[in-house]
Amino acid sequence: MSTTATLFTVGFIFIAMMISLWQKLGLEKDLVVATLRATIQLTAIGFVLRYIFTADRWEFILLIIGISIFVASQNAGKRGEGIPSIRLKVFVTIGSVVGFTLSMMLLLDMVKPEAKTVIPISGMLVGNAMVVSSLLLNRLKDNAESMRDEILVALSLGATRVQASKRMLTSAIRGGMIPIIDSTKTVGLVQLPGMMTGLIIAGTDPVAAVRYQLLVMFSFTASSALVSILLGTMVIPTLFNAAHQFVGWGKKN
Amino acid sequence: MGAQGTASFTLKTGLINTSGRLDIKWVGYIEKSTGCLSGAFFSRGEDLRKKVGGIMEKSIIQLEQVRKSYVGDDGPITPLNGVSAVVPKGSCVVVTGPSGTGKSTLFRLLNRLEDPDQGRILYRGRNITEWNPVQLRREVHYVVQQPILFPGTVNTNLAYPLSLQGKEMSQSEMENTLARVGLDKSMLRRKVEDLSGGERQRVSLARSLTLNPPVLLLDEPTSSLDDASIQVVEEEIRRFRDQGGTVLMISHFQQQVQRLADIHWRLSAGALTVDGENS
């Protein structure tokens, strides 16, 4: 794509701006900020990636993955405001699940151990783990309030804190996994996934692109389940104290 | 009925105040007064002596200067402000008082869903904080007022408490438990969402009875029941008590106090009064 053509893409933003002004949506400022941020962030990462791909050193690869996990855990952690050291818990969760999934891919020779494959794949894994963590924390916080009475009844019937919170955890995990499973079901029929589309545009054979896409989607389901179980197990005990008393996470914002 | 309730009640309060030793002069006094009032409760002086003696030996729960306050929207509220009392084993204590005066708070403390800010609660002579909380809740068991059932059938709900301990309950045990609250065995297969309010409340009580707890804390156990069912449940409470179980029960009905109470606690403005006198 030529530079001129790239500049023309900004024209799409103007269309959104005009509609916002015309309908008094009040979104102009946000649109400007979003446009600038997207341009700066992506340009910067483009140059960084170009440098790293040529350098091809594992320290850089680890650093990039580490930063993306850090940002993702800060972001998802917001959904769990009130839960003790939630950002650290999300960081550990996403870190270990992405680490595990990526190691499996490399060990089984599903992806090539080179920067230009490992970084994009891990980026997608981290992004997916972030969305699943956000959904899970959101649902857990909702459930901690809406299912409070049920949890108290279970405790009074002699349930341990783990037993008493079992139903709220399974319902939250289901809530976090269903979107992934649904999109896996309709993929190709409703939308062509971004990665596959990108590969096809860049000239890869569509069938080869599909193979990569399947790898990514299937690994998403595994990592989603792992993230849910791990994060849920770390987070649920903080809803109670050592005497199996419900202490809660405070009101939801 | 009213006279009996008051008599047995006076008896136990009187004894409680005598600092844990059986005072024979009290027994004589009570024997006389109950003799005058009615012989239905304790048909003979002998029985009374035995019963009173038993009570004195075994106070199952003691409250010592229990205080609990919360941060409310309009500043702190103190539903329990230095409450002391004794529950003799095998008695039925009925707790009354205006709404929001700490009756349910008291039950949550006894069930150890929460802990008091000050003071202590003894169960079988030991501070309840020294008991394993999960085990304690099975023994000093709290049946909340709103009957919250788990999704599924009545069967699932009755099986739940024992399943937590890895135990199974036989069909006939479940049927017997249902019969204790006046429900037919055909109820077992019913889905909980199809139950009426009264049925839910009785299923909830039956579910708690499966634990066979020595102490039952009942929060208005008959609030959504019709007269016939109230009778069945009250009969079961009496039977439970007569077999050595201890009941603490919140009620809003004066008649229920008269029908069931061995001891009557009034909670008001953070203070507990036993039979009109300060505890």
Side-chain angles (χ1 to χ4, degrees):
Chain A
M1 204 160 69
S2 70
T3 314
T4 334
T6 311
L7 281 175
F8 278 142
T9 56
V10 180
F12 289 117
I13 298 294
F14 281 117
I15 296 173
M17 287 262 242
M18 296 310 285
I19 292 173
S20 173
L21 283 169
W22 172 42
Q23 289 291 323
K24 298 192 173 56
L25 300 179
L27 295 173
E28 305 87 58
K29 204 180 142 209
D30 281 329
L31 277 168
V32 172
V33 172
T35 312
L36 288 175
R37 279 192 60 164
T39 314
I40 294 167
Q41 285 163 203
L42 285 180
T43 311
I45 201 68
F47 280 108
V48 169
L49 287 180
R50 184 190 276 173
Y51 173 73
I52 289 172
F53 289 172
T54 33
D56 206 10
R57 288 175 54 179
W58 62 268
E59 305 99 293
F60 289 162
I61 299 177
L62 282 183
L63 184 70
I64 284 281
I65 298 175
I67 291 171
S68 74
I69 294 173
F70 177 77
V71 175
S73 56
Q74 295 299 310
N75 211 1
K78 274 187 212 146
R79 302 281 169 203
E81 218 68 69
I83 303 173
S85 53
I86 183 59
R87 287 182 172 79
L88 178 66
K89 291 189 169 89
V90 178
F91 184 82
V92 172
T93 304
I94 300 184
S96 32
V97 171
V98 169
F100 170 78
T101 318
L102 212 52
S103 312
M104 290 302 287
M105 287 177 175
L106 290 168
L107 274 172
L108 298 173
D109 205 21
M110 292 166 170
V111 296
K112 289 191 189 101
E114 52 187 20
K116 71 179 172 105
T117 329
V118 169
I119 290 178
I121 298 253
S122 67
M124 283 189 284
L125 283 172
V126 172
N128 174 61
M130 177 180 79
V131 172
V132 172
S133 304
S134 295
L135 285 171
L136 180 80
L137 291 174
N138 214 21
R139 284 290 287 267
L140 281 176
K141 286 205 75 178
D142 278 343
N143 289 357
E145 276 182 58
S146 65
M147 295 171 82
R148 185 171 182 271
D149 290 338
E150 185 185 310
I151 294 169
L152 289 178
V153 164
L155 287 175
S156 75
L157 287 167
T160 63
R161 55 187 176 179
V162 173
Q163 289 171 327
S165 52
K166 190 163 176 275
R167 260 179 36 84
M168 80 166 263
L169 179 61
T170 40
S171 118
I173 291 182
R174 284 179 58 88
M177 297 258 325
I178 283 170
I180 305 279
I181 297 172
D182 278 352
S183 71
T184 308
K185 277 186 205 153
T186 56
V187 69
L189 299 174
V190 178
Q191 59 153 353
L192 290 177
M195 186 194 79
M196 197 177 102
T197 321
L199 285 175
I200 294 170
I201 291 173
T204 311
D205 166 49
V207 177
V210 163
R211 280 196 193 146
Y212 266 108
Q213 190 57 47
L214 286 179
L215 164 71
V216 166
M217 295 207 75
F218 293 168
S219 68
F220 276 10
T221 57
S223 67
S224 303
L226 287 171
V227 163
S228 304
I229 287 289
L230 207 58
L231 190 57
T233 321
M234 274 200 267
V235 154
I236 284 283
T238 66
L239 194 55
F240 304 85
N241 62 20
H244 301 265
Q245 291 171 333
F246 184 93
V247 291
W249 289 323
K251 287 268 174 259
K252 211 181 159 200
N253 311 325
Chain B
M1 279 304 254
Q4 276 170 33
T6 323
S8 62
F9 166 38
T10 321
L11 160 169
K12 282 168 190 171
T13 9
L15 285 161
I16 290 151
N17 292 342
T18 56
S19 69
R21 274 187 301 114
L22 174 60
D23 191 337
I24 202 70
K25 127 187 139 214
W26 275 102
V27 179
Y29 168 69
I30 295 148
E31 254 176 61
K32 236 187 291 170
S33 37
T34 45
C36 292
L37 294 163
S38 158
F41 226 92
F42 307 117
S43 49
R44 285 193 194 90
E46 200 61 39
D47 288 351
L48 174 65
R49 203 179 292 268
K50 219 191 294 174
K51 179 148 188 160
V52 171
I55 288 164
M56 283 320 299
E57 284 162 60
K58 290 167 189 169
S59 84
I60 194 159
I61 288 170
Q62 283 163 269
L63 305 170
E64 292 179 356
Q65 292 296 318
V66 173
R67 187 189 147 92
K68 181 76 183 172
S69 53
Y70 297 98
V71 185
D73 291 335
D74 315 312
I77 44 167
T78 308
L80 299 173
N81 194 358
V83 164
S84 298
V86 174
V87 180
K89 185 175 183 296
S91 61
C92 177
V93 179
V94 179
V95 188
T96 62
S99 306
T101 48
K103 302 186 293 294
S104 301
T105 303
L106 177 66
F107 279 18
R108 280 199 299 275
L109 296 183
L110 287 167
N111 192 232
R112 246 206 120 194
L113 289 174
E114 293 170 28
D115 287 328
D117 300 333
Q118 282 166 32
R120 51 181 208 154
I121 299 170
L122 306 183
Y123 171 60
R124 296 187 195 280
R126 264 169 69 197
N127 195 328
I128 58 169
T129 54
E130 292 170 25
W131 294 81
N132 173 341
V134 175
Q135 184 57 36
L136 180 88
R137 288 185 194 124
R138 291 171 187 158
E139 292 192 22
V140 184
H141 175 63
Y142 177 26
V143 186
V144 295
Q145 189 191 351
Q146 289 300 324
I148 293 159
L149 303 177
F150 302 108
T153 60
V154 171
N155 196 320
T156 350
N157 275 274
L158 289 192
Y160 181 77
L162 288 183
S163 76
L164 293 172
Q165 308 173 35
K167 293 179 193 158
E168 257 183 65
M169 216 185 168
S170 75
Q171 193 74 11
S172 62
E173 279 174 311
M174 284 198 207
E175 288 169 9
N176 290 341
T177 314
L178 276 184
R180 286 170 73 182
V181 296
L183 292 174
D184 188 73
K185 61 181 179 187
S186 64
M187 199 64 133
L188 279 175
R189 285 187 301 276
R190 292 267 298 277
K191 290 228 181 271
V192 291
E193 56 263 32
D194 300 334
L195 302 182
S196 72
E199 287 166 337
R200 293 177 72 92
Q201 191 161 32
R202 284 184 285 166
V203 169
S204 155
L205 180 60
R207 181 178 61 189
S208 291
L209 291 175
T210 64
L211 280 170
N212 208 9
V215 182
L216 265 179
L217 312 168
L218 306 173
D219 194 342
E220 297 199 45
T222 58
S223 59
S224 31
L225 301 187
D226 57 37
D227 288 345
S229 313
I230 290 179
Q231 225 176 345
V232 174
V233 169
E234 286 187 359
E235 197 49 56
E236 178 54 36
I237 293 173
R238 255 183 237 111
R239 210 171 66 91
F240 177 83
R241 191 250 342 249
D242 292 344
Q243 289 175 351
T246 307
V247 184
L248 281 86
M249 170 180 161
I250 295 173
S251 176
H252 274 130
F253 299 104
Q254 195 54 40
Q255 296 100 309
Q256 209 159 29
V257 178
Q258 283 163 0
R259 286 198 297 264
L260 290 172
D262 297 323
I263 299 177
H264 177 193
W265 288 359
R266 270 182 249 268
L267 268 176
S268 182
L272 189 150
T273 326
V274 181
D275 193 31
E277 290 182 32
N278 261 317
S279 56

